[in-house]
Amino acid sequence: MIAKTCNQLLVCFYTWFLETQGLEGVPAIGFSLGGWLAAEIVATTHHAFSKLVLVDAAGIKPQVGEITDLFILSPAQIAQLTFHDPHQAPEYDLLYGGTRTPAQQENAIKNREMAVRLTWKPYMHDPRLPSLLARVHMPTCIVWGRQDHLIPVECGELYRQAIPGAELVVLDNCGHMPQVEQPAAFVRLARQFLG
């Protein structure tokens, strides 16, 4: 399967990169697809972070409900589903909204194509991951927006159940990007956990 192969290649690449940079034993924060990648790294390789923060991470399939199919939605629809209250993140639209140059549009298309290659079959999860996460023995904090309309908060609970000793913190009035929509609360949580 292409997605599994591509994801495994990413895990191998980032593990190699971390090791060649001497970054063994550093803390890691993974957001969404990056959270899935961080979870795969610690579950399937010998690389160890000192602490792990997973933020609205893909990678585990919910038992009830679905992970939103991002590839049938327009960028505007995705942006609308990303936040509980878009007014809490006005800078997001300034950075990513508006008119794009042809080069920016081409880059966005390439990024979307790569995301399809990495996450399509099976869609946005690895069926093996929950059982592999039992091997993770490092302090782990899972942060989730209660109103995440892309990856349900149930996935955060499944991560908590799969990783021994993991803690789940759910932020109210928050969607898929706590670091953008609730930055003060997110930074306080991260500093407290990582400090």
Side-chain angles (χ1 to χ4, degrees):
M1 293 206 262
I2 291 175
K4 245 187 230 178
T5 304
C6 288
N7 213 19
Q8 289 170 350
L9 287 174
L10 275 178
V11 166
C12 290
F13 171 78
Y14 279 104
T15 301
W16 165 82
F17 176 78
L18 291 165
E19 289 170 356
T20 60
Q21 297 301 307
L23 296 174
E24 185 81 19
V26 297
I29 301 177
F31 302 92
S32 194
L33 293 178
W36 179 7
L37 182 59
E40 291 267 0
I41 287 171
V42 298
T44 62
T45 71
H46 296 293
H47 188 84
F49 297 113
S50 59
K51 293 183 177 181
L52 180 63
V53 180
L54 300 176
V55 184
D56 293 74
I60 292 183
K61 183 178 181 176
Q63 296 169 346
V64 178
E66 295 289 327
I67 297 173
T68 299
D69 188 342
L70 301 175
F71 305 121
I72 63 170
L73 301 176
S74 71
Q77 290 170 309
I78 293 168
Q80 203 169 32
L81 291 172
T82 297
F83 300 105
H84 169 65
D85 179 2
H87 294 99
Q88 293 182 139
E91 67 280 356
Y92 185 85
D93 196 43
L94 290 172
L95 293 171
Y96 301 105
T99 307
R100 294 180 175 186
T101 67
Q104 289 171 323
Q105 289 174 333
E106 183 178 334
N107 196 38
I109 289 168
K110 287 179 181 178
N111 289 342
R112 192 172 171 110
E113 179 183 328
M114 182 53 70
V116 169
R117 291 176 186 265
L118 293 172
T119 67
W120 187 250
K121 284 192 176 185
Y123 181 69
M124 289 285 185
H125 75 283
D126 179 346
R128 303 166 307 140
L129 186 57
S131 61
L132 293 172
L133 289 170
R135 298 176 51 191
V136 176
H137 295 289
M138 68 187 62
T140 302
C141 181
I142 302 152
V143 181
W144 225 272
R146 187 173 306 281
Q147 288 78 24
D148 187 337
H149 297 294
L150 300 179
I151 303 175
V153 71
E154 177 196 356
C155 295
E157 176 58 27
L158 293 171
Y159 266 110
R160 187 198 63 75
Q161 292 171 15
I163 299 172
E167 168 191 5
L168 172 63
V169 179
V170 179
L171 299 176
D172 289 318
N173 301 313
C174 188
H176 185 66
M177 299 178 91
Q179 71 277 15
V180 175
E181 194 167 8
Q182 298 276 344
F186 175 76
V187 168
R188 187 172 49 254
L189 273 169
R191 289 183 75 182
Q192 183 179 4
F193 177 73
L194 296 173

